[in-house]
């Protein structure tokens, strides 16, 4: 059975329907039922309003004593309410900001608001997203130089599996970054694409340009190793065509790109030459990361855990490389089940980006999960098309049901310093909403231990579907 197209469609879905195996869900913590798609103009179920917190010994009352309210989820306006969040961040150098759906307005706008705060108050200077390394370079060039048209870049780069990033909320975030850089040209905020689902033509051009200037003896050899690889179509067409190649051919291509990296690693140079060399090697590495991932057998279910582990390791390595090379403190945007400290689905995703980052960075990495009680989101339906779905209030026994009974509508709380009555609750497995790019999916309601999964949680009462631009 040829499954590679469905698998790639779920590539940015860390726990997509085609890949994940959900942990068992106990009767005490039932998942919310799946919802049907709704029209673009329909409103999400409103549900009951919050009631007063019960006895002080309850987990929701204890969390309420430690929680801090969000004044707004929108990015504009004052940021004073985020000062306690800044104390939670402390000296962390990479802050992972999650999302419980891949396409809800408030998850994107909260990230925008937190990015503003961390840039203006804590010295963060990079925004990383699960998008290809080549996409990151193109967007970063626009943000730092103004070259190109943002709408055109987003339309061309956020396609196929990355289509959910082509939304009005992220465009607003990128426009804010550009405006900031215009005012601070010597201290810009930069964009990083940390994913390996595609390697754009600019990577091949950058490697060949470097070789022509610094290592001309390698130009012919590199051209031969990269023969037939430089994309001449859009990413979605390119990847579908690539995965249609026989597995043996894909393995040979990965061997060739690995040899290109090895050739470039020789003779690193000094001074400015060393800097140019490091970037050329990283660009070649990004090409090799794509071909290596596509050299797995995507039609063999037994290879899926290895594919997913490799992808998350690569995303972590690219973030760490950027951090070490530039010194930037980084806001990392991804799904909750990528930035978590423990995997949500060990059978299919044995180790995730957040785990790799905690191992590499220790306390310099902070995991912030974003949860919600009810609302709407965009996702791929069973027919492969994008639809707007809605889910109602969280069921009793789920993590969100308790979080939504905390005294604030929208809030953030440091799980590391939770009061005693909440600790046992945080340490026990709880069902959470976990909606990726496909819906319904197998792992929409996994069980996790919040205290082991995230350092901080931002809980929102209600979210609405993001405004997709294409």
């Amino acid at each position: 059975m040829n499954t590679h197209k469905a698998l790639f469609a779920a590539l940015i879905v860390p726990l997509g329907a085609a890949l994940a195996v959900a942990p068992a869900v106990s009767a005490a913590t039932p998942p919310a039922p799946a919802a049907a798609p709704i029209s673009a103009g329909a409103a999400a179920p409103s549900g009951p309003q919050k009631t007063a917190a019960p006895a002080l010994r309850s987990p929701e009352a204890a969390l309420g004593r430690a929680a801090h309210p969000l004044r707004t989820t929108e990015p504009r306006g004052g940021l004073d309410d985020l000062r306690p969040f800044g104390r939670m961040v402390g000296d962390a150098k990479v802050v992972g900001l999650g999302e419980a759906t891949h396409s809800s307005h408030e998850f994107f706008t909260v990230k925008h608001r937190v990015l503003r705060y961390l840039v203006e108050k804590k010295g963060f200077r990079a925004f990383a997203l699960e998008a290809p390394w080549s996409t990151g370079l193109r967007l970063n060039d626009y943000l730092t130089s103004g070259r190109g048209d943002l709408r055109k870049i987003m339309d061309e780069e956020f396609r196929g599996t990355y289509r959910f990033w082509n939304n009005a909320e992220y465009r607003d975030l990128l426009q804010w970054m550009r405006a900031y850089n215009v005012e601070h040209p010597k201290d810009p905020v930069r964009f990083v694409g940390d994913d390996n689902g595609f390697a754009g033509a600019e990577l091949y051009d950058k490697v060949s340009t470097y070789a022509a200037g610094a290592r001309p003896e390698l130009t012919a050899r590199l051209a031969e190793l990269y023969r037939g690889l430089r994309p001449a179509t859009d990413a979605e067409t390119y990847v579908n065509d690539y995965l249609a190649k026989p597995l043996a051919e894909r393995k040979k291509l990965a061997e060739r790109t690995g040899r290109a990296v090895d050739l470039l690693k020789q003779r690193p140079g000094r001074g400015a030459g060393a800097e140019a060399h490091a970037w050329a090697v990283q660009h070649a590495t990004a090409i090799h990361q794509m071909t290596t991932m596509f050299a797995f057998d995507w039609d063999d279910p037994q290879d899926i855990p290895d594919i997913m582990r490799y992808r998350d390791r690569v995303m972590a390595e690219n973030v760490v490389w950027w951090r070490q090379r530039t010194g930037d403190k980084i806001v990392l945007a991804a799904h909750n089940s990528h930035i978590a400290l423990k995997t949500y689905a060990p059978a299919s995703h044995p180790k995730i980006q957040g785990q790799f980052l905690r191992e590499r960075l220790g306390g310099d990495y902070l995991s912030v999960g974003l949860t919600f009680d009810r609302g709407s989101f965009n996702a791929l339906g069973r027919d492969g098309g994008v639809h707007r779905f809605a889910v109602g209030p969280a069921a009793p026994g789920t993590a969100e049901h308790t979080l939504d009974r905390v005294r604030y509508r929208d809030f953030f709380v440091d799980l590391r310093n939770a009061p005693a009555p909440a600790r046992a609750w945080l340490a026990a497995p709880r069902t959470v909403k976990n909606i990726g790019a496909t819906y319904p999916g197998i792992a929409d309601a996994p069980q996790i231990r919040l205290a082991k999964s995230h350092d901080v949680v931002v809980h929102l009462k209600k979210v609405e579907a993001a405004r997709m631009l294409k």
Side-chain angles (χ1 to χ4, degrees), residues 25-31 395-398 429-431 447:
V25 179
S26 71
T29 56
T398 62
R430 308 283 171 188
T431 303
Q447 284 195 339

Side-chain angles (χ1 to χ4, degrees), residues 18 50 72 86 105 123 195 210 235 239 280 319 339 390 407 409 412 455 464:
K50 291 188 180 180
T72 178
H105 171 87
D195 206 354
Y210 168 80
V239 172
V319 169
I339 60 91
R407 58 180 174 154
R409 175 185 173 89
F412 52 93
D455 299 307
E464 296 286 347

Side-chain angles (χ1 to χ4, degrees), residues 197-218:
F198 178 65
E202 47 269 276
L203 294 182
Y204 299 87
D205 296 342
K206 286 179 180 295
V207 171
S208 62
T209 297
Y210 168 80
R215 302 285 305 281
E217 73 278 10
L218 296 182

Side-chain angles (χ1 to χ4, degrees), residues 55 77 142 158 174-175 231 244 254 264 292 307 355 395 405 451 460-461:
Y142 165 78
F158 295 146
L174 292 166
Q175 288 172 336
L264 284 165
T292 299
I307 294 171
Q355 291 175 270
R405 291 167 65 85
L460 308 178
K461 183 175 188 67

Side-chain angles (χ1 to χ4, degrees), residues 318-365:
N318 287 337
V319 169
V320 170
W321 187 92
W322 187 280
R323 165 69 192 153
Q324 292 177 338
R325 195 75 214 168
T326 68
D328 289 342
K329 292 198 285 186
I330 303 168
V331 173
L332 168 63
H335 199 277
N336 281 342
S337 49
H338 277 313
I339 60 91
L341 302 172
K342 297 289 183 182
T343 179
Y344 277 32
S348 58
H349 293 67
K351 193 170 183 179
I352 56 174
Q353 184 179 20
Q355 291 175 270
F356 286 111
L357 288 172
R358 178 54 59 90
E359 286 181 0
R360 291 290 301 273
L361 302 177
D364 281 345
Y365 175 67

Side-chain angles (χ1 to χ4, degrees), residues 125-129 131-150 153-154 157-158 174 177-178 181-182 185 187-193 202 206 279 283 321-322 326 328:
R125 288 296 180 269
F127 180 79
L129 180 66
W133 182 262
S134 53
T135 297
L137 294 176
R138 191 174 177 195
L139 277 169
N140 188 59
D141 184 53
Y142 165 78
L143 293 172
T144 55
S145 72
R147 284 188 290 269
D149 176 79
L150 178 59
I153 294 170
M154 293 180 70
E157 295 293 333
F158 295 146
L174 292 166
M177 292 174 68
R178 175 59 191 150
N181 290 344
V182 169
D187 187 24
V189 181
R190 297 184 279 193
F191 188 98
V192 186
E202 47 269 276
K206 286 179 180 295
W279 282 94
H283 299 329
W321 187 92
W322 187 280
T326 68
D328 289 342

Side-chain angles (χ1 to χ4, degrees), residues 211-468:
R215 302 285 305 281
E217 73 278 10
L218 296 182
T219 53
R221 182 64 177 139
L222 288 171
E224 175 61 24
L225 292 173
Y226 287 148
R227 178 172 47 84
L229 280 168
R230 185 183 184 277
T233 62
D234 65 88
E236 187 173 19
T237 301
Y238 177 91
V239 172
N240 284 333
D241 290 346
Y242 194 101
L243 283 170
K245 298 177 189 293
L247 179 60
E249 182 179 349
R250 302 201 310 265
K251 288 184 175 180
K252 287 180 180 178
L253 291 171
E255 182 184 357
R256 280 165 45 186
T257 59
R259 276 184 275 153
V261 174
D262 291 339
L263 282 175
L264 284 165
K265 282 183 176 178
Q266 301 169 11
R267 293 170 51 188
R270 297 178 181 177
E275 181 73 5
H277 174 263
W279 282 94
V281 170
Q282 175 62 16
H283 299 329
T285 298
I287 295 171
H288 185 54
Q289 289 169 347
M290 182 201 74
T291 59
T292 299
M293 186 169 72
F294 293 157
F296 286 95
D297 187 351
W298 285 61
D299 293 325
D300 184 353
Q302 294 186 356
D303 264 18
I304 300 308
D306 291 334
I307 294 171
M308 296 299 109
R309 179 189 175 99
Y310 178 72
R311 181 194 175 211
D312 273 272
R313 177 169 67 82
V314 161
M315 291 195 293
E317 287 175 351
N318 287 337
V319 169
V320 170
W321 187 92
W322 187 280
R323 165 69 192 153
Q324 292 177 338
R325 195 75 214 168
T326 68
D328 289 342
K329 292 198 285 186
I330 303 168
V331 173
L332 168 63
H335 199 277
N336 281 342
S337 49
H338 277 313
I339 60 91
L341 302 172
K342 297 289 183 182
T343 179
Y344 277 32
S348 58
H349 293 67
K351 193 170 183 179
I352 56 174
Q353 184 179 20
Q355 291 175 270
F356 286 111
L357 288 172
R358 178 54 59 90
E359 286 181 0
R360 291 290 301 273
L361 302 177
D364 281 345
Y365 175 67
L366 186 82
S367 174
V368 183
L370 273 65
T371 63
F372 75 111
D373 179 62
R374 67 196 71 174
S376 59
F377 52 90
N378 302 304
L380 296 169
R382 294 193 185 278
D383 61 358
V386 176
H387 301 281
R388 184 171 180 258
F389 297 88
V391 293
T398 62
E400 293 91 348
H401 184 265
T402 296
L403 290 171
D404 206 59
R405 291 167 65 85
V406 170
R407 58 180 174 154
Y408 302 117
R409 175 185 173 89
D410 302 322
F411 64 89
F412 52 93
V413 60
D414 192 333
L415 306 185
R416 299 166 297 180
N417 301 316
R423 290 175 194 159
W425 182 84
L426 290 168
R430 308 283 171 188
T431 303
V432 295
K433 291 186 176 82
N434 184 69
I435 298 159
T438 59
Y439 189 79
I442 295 173
D444 292 335
Q447 284 195 339
I448 67 167
R449 302 173 191 269
L450 277 174
K452 298 291 185 181
S453 301
H454 302 288
D455 299 307
V456 175
V457 161
V458 177
H459 180 73
L460 308 178
K461 183 175 188 67
K462 184 178 177 182
V463 300
E464 296 286 347
R467 182 187 159 205
M468 294 183 67

